[in-house]
Amino acid sequence: MLALIDTVKSIDDQLSRRHIDLDPAGYWLVVLDREAGVLKVEHYSNDINDQGLAVDPETGEVIACQGGRKRLPSLTLTGRTAKELCVKIFEELESCPVTMLNHAAYLGRELMRAELALTGGGEYVQD
């Protein structure tokens, strides 16, 4: 069983380092609110520059992964489960702020990881 866990982790780590094109509709931050017992997602708009980097639509500056200017989300949603949030994002919003299938799949995976951390008490760090 330990060998399987190591193999799965190795595959996941390797795939996390691959190049992905960014969604021009923006990006999501996934947050656990353990006190309230909910998952929270925040959507941030962005533009994509000629180098394929996410830039702030207001300033044109590259959006740093850590640090940088504090931005306000364009949308915040909460839910008790990954499925509940996916239904809100992909089925209930009038205009879905996810335009790429790989981004939708990524968001679903991250929400499941966050749900497992929330229900199991484990640590969650967004990939």
Side-chain angles (χ1 to χ4, degrees), residues 34-113:
R34 290 187 190 277
E35 268 187 41
V38 298
L39 306 169
K40 179 169 76 168
V41 289
E42 299 175 337
H43 179 264
Y44 294 84
S45 61
N46 60 238
D47 290 331
I48 307 297
N49 69 12
D50 294 338
Q51 291 79 38
L53 301 173
V55 295
D56 187 318
E58 294 177 19
T59 66
E61 294 180 19
V62 173
I63 299 169
C65 290
Q66 295 180 357
R69 180 174 74 88
K70 175 69 176 151
R71 301 184 71 223
L72 296 176
S74 56
L75 174 68
T76 301
L77 299 169
T78 60
R80 295 157 296 196
T81 68
K83 184 182 275 189
E84 183 178 27
L85 276 171
C86 283
V87 168
K88 286 181 181 184
I89 295 166
F90 298 106
E91 298 177 26
E92 294 178 357
L93 290 177
E94 194 169 308
S95 177
C96 180
V98 177
T99 62
M100 298 172 67
L101 292 176
N102 64 342
H103 194 199
Y106 159 80
L107 189 55
R109 287 190 309 269
E110 285 303 306
L111 289 171
M112 273 308 308
R113 289 180 59 239

Side-chain angles (χ1 to χ4, degrees), residues 34 116-123:
R34 290 187 190 277
L116 290 171
L118 182 65
T119 58
E123 181 183 0

